[in-house]
Amino acid sequence: MYAGVRCPEDFDEPGAEAVRLDVTDPDQIAAAATTASDATVVINNAGIQAGPPLLEGSLGGARKELGVNYLGTWAVSRAFAPSLPRTAAEPW
């Protein structure tokens, strides 16, 4: 089992191999997909809440949320999809 974490040096979970992964970093995503190319299931639970109140403040936090919660999830899914098992019942 692999665990994608931003700071592998701080991760200590028996039975899990830490893999450096910031879902907003394309190079780390590609490296994680290569390292864990034998994965059969990917659970991507990365997420943040950094946006401003709806009607005030900078949109910087909202952009960060989109980068992690939407684009990061999509990028990780795309990187791992080619190595995940495929079945005739569920073609890609």
Side-chain angles (χ1 to χ4, degrees):
M1 175 173 51
Y2 301 95
V5 296
R6 286 190 283 163
C7 298
E9 58 277 1
D10 296 336
F11 182 81
D12 183 25
E13 185 64 37
E17 179 180 338
V19 176
R20 184 173 303 280
L21 179 58
D22 176 336
V23 301
T24 64
D25 183 323
D27 293 334
Q28 287 186 23
I29 293 170
T34 298
T35 298
S37 64
D38 59 341
T40 57
V41 174
V42 175
I43 299 171
N44 188 353
N45 69 339
I48 62 168
Q49 183 175 2
L54 182 62
L55 300 177
E56 58 190 48
S58 164
L59 294 178
R63 286 185 180 94
K64 190 171 184 176
E65 278 187 20
L66 288 171
V68 172
N69 301 351
Y70 179 70
L71 297 174
T73 300
W74 189 1
V76 169
S77 297
R78 290 177 76 168
F80 276 86
S83 66
L84 294 176
R86 297 178 185 208
T87 66
E90 298 181 46
W92 294 83

